[in-house]
């Protein structure tokens, strides 16, 4: 347990709180100090046996006098302890406190169950993969085959049997993994069967019949890997992003996150702030006695400010990350019969929207997801904008078009080349009046 001291400078304090709290870096109560006490050796309470107990009339070391004003120390943490701990603290990775996470979420009991799930996509295919994880994974896997299996990381070819009737379910390849050298950090087993829905259903029903075995919840294998320290939270998010990646750019970003690039950046912030904590503590406690100059505090303040700048720069790019995951929102707006639906069909290379000479054909928003140079793009065709709608349905479609216009990342106005300027002015006036209302 490492306690987070209260920084003198607010920018340093804000940076330390953001990183240390968010990444489980430090915990516990913070001690209070003010700028007027900066550099005073009288600031601290007791420093341990044999270390200036009698200074400032502190008695037991819990009270003292600073600038002629009595004060009481709000936290008994000793400065020497902070300096030793911070300087020797090696900044463990983000999953260092996985046992605390387990107790915090109250799911330690769930770890006792052996879980199973179909890991390959459902439906028909050449191969289906069913995974098990838990303390009874090896035992249950051996109960379902005709010959025992003892060696881990070895491919066994076995007949899979129904333990209730002895019927053969399928011929399969089985792999065993001993924890913690597995994906979840627990004992695991993997069935590779023929990808028939009947075969998979029969195997899952047999596994469900065992006591202490249950179907896994969504993402539970990765959650157990997180709680057992196999991955940290950022890497777990990278796994989810990689599974849902549709484009090359999404894949590259998810692989970098899964590889620990983002975690290393966060841990670097922690190391820098822990060093700042140690230097600020040294300056507060020993600034006068040990002749530690103010340059130590100023340097810590500058380093913490740099960390704050890096955080702000990362937070400013959150929209880019959202666009990378959800896709760049592109909306097509214009007057009726201006060619919006034709443009959407040309981009999609198929008939995604109805094209007709009658104005007001498009009522609802028509969305097409595209992959443009590895970037996910969501193109939306909207109802034509005009002041007098033909009916109530078209009027509601126009309202949806205006809403999509203001929520889009890229706005494309489609106009007729024969009357481009007039249509453009009319569209802008319509959007301006909608925005003000």
């Amino acid at each position: 347990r490492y306690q987070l001291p209260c920084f003198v400078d607010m920018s340093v304090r804000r940076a330390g709180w953001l990183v240390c709290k968010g990444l489980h870096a430090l915990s516990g109560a913070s001690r209070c100090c003010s700028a007027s006490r900066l550099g005073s050796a009288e600031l601290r309470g007791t420093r341990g046996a044999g270390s200036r107990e009698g200074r400032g009339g502190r008695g037991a070391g819990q009270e003292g006098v600073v600038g002629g004003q009595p004060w009481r120390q709000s936290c008994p943490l000793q400065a020497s302890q902070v300096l030793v701990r911070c300087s020797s603290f090696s900044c463990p990775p983000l999953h260092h406190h996985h046992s605390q996470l387990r107790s915090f979420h109250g799911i330690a009991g769930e770890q006792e169950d052996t879980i199973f799930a179909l890991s390959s996509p459902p439906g028909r295919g050449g191969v289906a993969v069913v995974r098990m994880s838990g303390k009874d994974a090896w035992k249950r896997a051996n109960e379902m085959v005709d010959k025992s299996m003892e060696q881990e990381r070895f491919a066994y070819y076995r007949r899979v049997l129904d333990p209730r009737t002895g019927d053969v379910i399928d011929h399969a390849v089985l792999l065993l993994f001993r924890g913690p050298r597995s994906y979840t950090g627990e004992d695991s087993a993997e069935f590779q069967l023929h990808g028939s829905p009947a075969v998979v259903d029969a195997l899952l029903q047999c596994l469900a019949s065992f006591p202490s075995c249950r179907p896994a919840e969504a993402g539970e294998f990765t959650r157990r890997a997180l709680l057992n320290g196999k991955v940290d939270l950022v890497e777990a998010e990278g796994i989810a992003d990689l599974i849902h990646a549709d484009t090359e750019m999404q894949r590259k970003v998810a692989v970098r996150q899964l590889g620990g690039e983002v975690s290393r950046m966060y841990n670097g912030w922690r190391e820098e702030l822990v060093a700042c904590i140690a230097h600020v503590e040294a300056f507060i406690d020993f600034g006068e006695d040990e002749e530690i100059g103010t340059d130590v505090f100023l340097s810590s303040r500058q380093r913490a400010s740099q960390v704050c700048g890096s955080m702000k720069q990362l937070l400013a790019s959150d929209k880019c990350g959202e666009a990378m995951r959800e896709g760049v929102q592109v909306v097509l707006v214009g007057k009726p019969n201006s060619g919006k639906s034709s443009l959407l069909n040309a981009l999609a290379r198929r008939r995604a929207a109805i094209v007709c000479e009658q104005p007001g054909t498009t009522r609802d928003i028509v969305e097409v997801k595209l992959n443009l140079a590895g970037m996910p793009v969501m193109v939306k065709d909207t109802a034509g904008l005009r002041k007098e709608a033909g009916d109530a349905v078209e009027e509601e479609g126009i309202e949806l078009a205006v809403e999509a216009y203001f929520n889009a990342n890229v706005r494309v106005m489609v106009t007729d080349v024969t009357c481009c300027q007039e249509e453009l002015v009319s569209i802008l006036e319509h959007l301006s009046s909608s925005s003000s209302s």
Side-chain angles (χ1 to χ4, degrees):
R1 289 282 185 173
Y2 295 89
Q3 292 181 315
L4 173 64
C6 177
F7 289 102
V8 175
D9 184 77
M10 288 303 295
S11 63
V12 181
R13 181 182 181 183
R14 186 162 51 247
W17 184 86
L18 283 173
V19 172
C20 298
K21 183 177 184 299
L23 306 182
H24 326 295
L26 304 173
S27 61
S30 62
R31 65 177 176 84
C32 299
C33 59
S34 64
S36 62
R37 298 168 183 168
L38 183 61
S40 173
E42 303 288 339
L43 176 62
R44 305 296 300 195
T46 179
R47 300 173 187 266
S51 57
R52 305 182 181 91
E53 293 87 351
R55 293 189 57 189
R58 275 180 261 181
Q62 295 301 312
E63 297 182 358
V65 178
V66 177
Q69 299 295 328
W71 68 282
R72 177 176 292 272
Q73 183 180 355
S74 60
C75 178
L77 184 63
Q78 298 180 12
S80 59
Q81 294 175 343
V82 174
L83 293 173
V84 173
R85 291 179 176 179
C86 290
S87 60
S88 61
F89 193 44
S90 59
C91 282
L94 300 182
H95 57 257
H96 177 70
H97 300 289
H98 53 84
S99 60
Q100 298 180 14
L101 284 174
R102 187 184 299 114
S103 60
F104 174 76
H105 290 284
I107 54 179
E110 297 182 11
Q111 297 278 95
E112 302 297 327
D113 297 334
T114 298
I115 59 175
F116 61 88
L118 175 66
S119 297
S120 55
R124 302 183 185 276
V127 178
V129 179
V130 176
R131 291 196 303 174
M132 299 177 62
S133 180
K135 63 178 183 178
D136 293 334
W138 280 37
K139 177 181 177 182
R140 301 311 179 190
N142 276 288
E143 291 178 0
M144 296 192 63
V145 295
D146 54 347
K147 295 181 182 180
S148 62
M149 303 174 294
E150 299 296 337
Q151 184 177 351
E152 66 171 326
R153 299 178 180 275
F154 185 84
Y156 292 94
Y157 182 73
R158 294 288 188 267
R159 289 189 304 167
V160 181
L161 308 176
D162 187 336
R164 299 167 296 182
T165 62
D167 296 338
V168 178
I169 297 177
D170 194 10
H171 295 256
V173 175
L174 286 88
L175 298 170
L176 302 179
F177 301 92
R178 181 71 72 183
R181 297 192 302 168
S182 66
Y183 176 76
T184 60
E186 305 171 331
D187 290 349
S188 303
E190 185 175 293
F191 295 81
Q192 299 181 9
L193 313 99
H194 294 95
S196 165
V199 172
V200 173
D201 290 344
L203 176 61
L204 295 179
Q205 289 178 10
C206 290
L207 294 176
S209 65
F210 289 119
S212 75
C213 286
R214 60 173 177 83
E217 300 175 359
E220 189 170 1
F221 283 92
T222 301
R223 185 178 72 176
R224 291 196 174 194
L226 171 66
L227 297 177
N228 292 323
K230 300 298 292 184
V231 296
D232 60 40
L233 184 59
V234 179
E235 293 170 345
E237 292 178 349
I239 294 174
D241 291 341
L242 183 59
I243 293 175
H244 294 91
D246 294 324
T247 66
E248 182 68 10
M249 192 68 67
Q250 288 176 323
R251 181 193 66 81
K252 290 181 178 180
V253 173
V255 168
R256 286 200 299 267
Q257 186 171 345
L258 178 59
E261 181 177 330
V262 179
S263 299
R264 286 191 292 271
M265 177 179 63
Y266 292 159
N267 285 323
W269 290 349
R270 281 187 74 248
E271 292 175 357
E272 191 71 8
L273 290 173
V274 168
C276 292
I277 291 173
H279 293 162
V280 171
E281 286 282 346
F283 178 75
I284 293 176
D285 290 309
F286 310 107
E288 293 180 354
D289 298 342
E290 307 296 336
E291 297 182 356
I292 299 178
T294 57
D295 56 333
V296 173
F297 170 75
L298 297 177
S299 175
S300 299
R301 176 179 180 178
Q302 181 180 4
R303 292 163 62 183
S305 298
Q306 292 175 354
V307 175
C308 282
S310 301
M311 291 180 180
K312 293 178 180 179
Q313 185 177 1
L314 180 64
L315 293 175
S317 63
D318 60 341
K319 293 185 178 180
C320 296
E322 181 181 357
M324 185 66 66
R325 291 187 180 93
E326 306 297 333
V328 179
Q329 304 296 316
V330 179
V331 63
L332 307 178
V333 295
K335 303 284 286 184
N337 281 10
S338 59
K340 302 183 299 299
S341 299
S342 299
L343 177 59
L344 180 70
N345 293 340
L347 293 174
R349 298 182 181 180
R350 60 183 177 88
R351 189 181 179 185
I354 299 176
V355 178
C356 181
E357 295 181 357
Q358 179 181 353
T361 304
T362 303
R363 303 296 182 91
D364 206 349
I365 296 178
V366 181
E367 299 181 349
V368 173
K369 193 171 184 178
L370 304 177
N371 181 355
L372 301 181
M375 234 359 231
V377 178
M378 181 68 71
V379 184
K380 300 180 179 181
D381 181 22
T382 61
L385 301 179
R386 55 179 176 177
K387 295 182 179 179
E388 296 182 1
D391 50 34
V393 178
E394 184 181 358
E395 183 177 358
E396 186 175 354
I398 294 176
E399 294 178 359
L400 293 176
V402 173
E403 182 181 354
Y405 174 84
F406 288 106
N407 293 332
N409 303 117
V410 179
R411 302 160 183 170
V412 179
M413 290 189 180
V414 183
T415 61
D416 188 348
V417 293
T418 59
C419 51
C420 176
Q421 185 174 0
E422 296 178 0
E423 284 196 8
L424 182 60
V425 172
S426 176
I427 293 172
L428 291 176
E429 289 178 352
H430 184 91
L431 292 172
S432 177
S433 60
S434 301
S435 175
S436 60
S437 60

